[in-house]
Amino acid sequence: MTFLMKALMITNFGGPEVFVQNEVEKPTPGKNQVLVKVCASSVNPADCGVRRGLFPPKRELPAIIGFDVSGVIEAVGENVQDFKVGDEVYYAIGHFDNSGAYAEYNVANESIIARKPMNLSHIQAASVPVAGGTAWTALIDKANIKVGETVLIHGGAGGVGSFAIQIAKAAGAYVYTTCGRYDFDLVKSIGADTAIDYHSENFIDILMRETHGEGVDVTFSTVAGELLAQSLAVIKSDGRAVTVTGVHGDLNYAIAKNITIHFVHLDNPRPKLDALRTLIERDRIKPVIGMTFPLDYVAQAHQKFEEGDKDVRGKIVIQVSG
């Protein structure tokens, strides 16, 4: 007997209008895999990039997309050792995996999944894997921030930025962040020490004044454009810069100051999710949820995300099931 599930799929590459609702065959877990009933997912820049066909390899159409999952294990395949039916889990689907989260069920290898933080709902947990894992990779794995260091995070009110502020603070850093003035209260409430209004203030002038001309140890760019290149002016000699966006502008200044530049793509997420769960359960990190949409409205969620509405802070979450 064939069992079906609801999925929001793309049949073409393009804008949010390419999503269509469909009934497709419910997947079955193979060896080392689990079947997860998806409770929630979220919207990430990568989701929008895949939908537009910008990232190689392009998905074979029609396709179910979406990278973040929070849900409950419904079945386990042969050889699964670490999880059982009924376990609540969260994870980030691999970029090259031919599956997606915008559906009622997802099959994943047990090596990528982690136990969901006990103090989070599935709506909250679904906001963590990609954004939180990326921030962890940037600041802990790549920049290796240390207690007492200074960090500048561009876009602190966004999905990745809001996790980055909290991770940097938990690591013992002094945190500067750029955002709109309307987000000052938010970023300070999650740990930012100094907020800089990118609309009306020059972050270079402010940082060099605040640090008495020394600059900061680390910068993290979550916003596209020339921020990475501009930020080199405020990094100490032998400092580090990390970015999750493409490169624009002149990076030669990094040579004179011996600055190390890291480019971040989330991989091997399970250890990061285990570490994040520990901090979340100790109330050191709290997800910031801007809006929630039901699965049927995933197109509207993508549209809202791409509009960059200032009223949307943190993550946009997709509720898949109750």
Side-chain angles (χ1 to χ4, degrees):
M1 179 182 294
T2 299
F3 294 95
L4 300 178
M5 68 174 182
K6 182 170 73 173
L8 268 291
M9 310 180 70
I10 59 170
T11 55
N12 295 288
F13 296 112
E17 71 280 356
V18 300
F19 281 108
V20 296
Q21 182 175 313
N22 207 345
E23 294 282 326
V24 299
E25 186 174 349
K26 180 180 174 181
T28 301
K31 289 184 178 180
N32 304 308
Q33 292 184 324
V34 298
L35 174 68
V36 176
K37 180 177 176 60
V38 180
C39 295
S41 183
S42 80
V43 183
N44 297 288
D47 302 314
C48 298
V50 171
R51 191 202 70 229
R52 291 187 176 277
L54 301 179
F55 299 150
K58 289 186 177 181
R59 296 291 176 89
E60 183 178 344
L61 300 177
I64 304 170
I65 67 170
F67 288 106
D68 282 319
V69 174
S70 182
V72 181
I73 294 178
E74 188 167 284
V76 297
E78 186 180 349
N79 298 336
V80 171
Q81 301 292 322
D82 297 338
F83 300 93
K84 65 182 186 303
V85 172
D87 284 346
E88 295 188 321
V89 296
Y90 73 149
Y91 57 97
I93 297 171
H95 184 69
F96 297 100
D97 291 353
N98 191 28
S99 66
Y102 299 160
E104 291 179 309
Y105 292 91
N106 179 256
V107 160
N109 192 291
E110 73 164 330
S111 64
I112 71 168
I113 68 177
R115 298 187 187 282
K116 180 183 76 67
M118 292 184 296
N119 57 335
L120 294 188
S121 68
H122 286 292
I123 292 291
Q124 294 171 309
S127 73
V128 177
V130 171
T134 298
W136 185 277
T137 300
L139 296 176
I140 305 302
D141 295 344
K142 298 297 184 181
N144 190 26
I145 58 174
K146 301 175 179 65
V147 174
E149 289 195 314
T150 49
V151 179
L152 167 63
I153 297 166
H154 288 293
V160 176
S162 59
F163 283 108
I165 288 173
Q166 297 177 80
I167 290 169
K169 200 65 182 176
Y174 186 97
V175 180
Y176 298 93
T177 191
T178 60
C179 60
R181 189 169 296 277
Y182 41 80
D183 286 324
F184 276 16
D185 288 345
L186 168 65
V187 297
K188 289 181 178 180
S189 72
I190 58 175
D193 296 288
T194 299
I196 302 167
D197 182 2
Y198 73 92
H199 292 293
S200 62
E201 296 178 305
N202 185 306
F203 75 89
I204 296 175
D205 292 342
I206 291 174
L207 279 176
M208 296 310 284
R209 183 176 66 247
E210 290 250 342
T211 62
H212 306 290
E214 290 188 2
V216 298
D217 296 289
V218 175
T219 67
F220 180 28
S221 301
T222 71
V223 182
E226 296 192 5
L227 281 175
L228 170 62
Q230 294 168 358
S231 296
L232 298 177
V234 300
I235 302 176
K236 295 177 181 178
S237 295
D238 298 311
R240 294 92 76 199
V242 192
T243 183
V244 294
T245 69
V247 176
H248 301 276
D250 185 359
L251 303 183
N252 284 317
Y253 199 29
I255 299 174
K257 299 174 72 175
N258 201 33
I259 294 169
T260 304
I261 300 176
H262 298 278
F263 300 90
V264 172
H265 172 73
L266 177 63
D267 62 353
N268 191 23
R270 183 173 176 181
K272 302 166 181 61
L273 295 179
D274 287 338
L276 286 166
R277 182 183 69 245
T278 298
L279 290 177
I280 289 168
E281 291 181 345
R282 293 176 181 175
D283 291 324
R284 301 296 301 276
I285 293 177
K286 296 180 180 180
V288 178
I289 309 297
M291 290 185 175
T292 303
F293 290 81
L295 180 61
D296 293 348
Y297 287 79
V298 69
Q300 289 87 336
H302 272 235
Q303 180 177 349
K304 180 64 70 172
F305 180 87
E306 292 186 316
E307 286 173 352
D309 194 325
K310 71 177 184 179
D311 292 329
V312 179
R313 298 170 174 85
K315 293 298 298 292
I316 294 178
V317 176
I318 309 297
Q319 183 170 358
V320 178
S321 63

